[in-house]
Amino acid sequence: MIEVSICVGSSCHLKGAPEVVNIFKKLHKEYELTDKVHLKASFCQGHCTNGVAVNIDGETIIGVNPENAPIKFKEYLIEGDSSGSIN
Ligand code: FES
């Protein structure tokens, strides 16, 4: 199971964390990843100036926002690696 924690601390909240959560939830369902990926919200991850912060199995991704959330989701959770081929 891949653990995904989306920061919903106050700074990330202001940067669109609630929308990022909704986008991740929607794609999580759409791609039928409920058996493979566990989504949860987290408190501050210590990257407030570069939020929204999302931790995927111990790797922190910063700068996630409602615009790039679908790209980040696909890059890290569909393609299954972090080769950075999509930006
Ligand atoms: S509030 Fe999200 S990293 Fe601090």
Side-chain angles (χ1 to χ4, degrees), residues 7 9-12 44-48 53:
C7 178
S10 50
S11 179
C12 289
C44 179
Q45 297 182 12
H47 300 281
C48 309

Side-chain angles (χ1 to χ4, degrees), residues 3-8 21 37-42 45 54-55:
E3 293 290 330
V4 178
S5 306
I6 303 166
C7 178
V8 292
V21 168
V37 177
H38 179 228
L39 285 185
K40 65 179 181 184
S42 81
Q45 297 182 12
V54 178
N55 189 287

Side-chain angles (χ1 to χ4, degrees), residues 3-4 9 19 22 36-37 43 49 52 54 62 86:
E3 293 290 330
V4 178
E19 289 149 86
N22 286 336
K36 291 184 188 156
V37 177
F43 293 117
T49 50
V52 175
V54 178
I62 55 172
I86 294 178

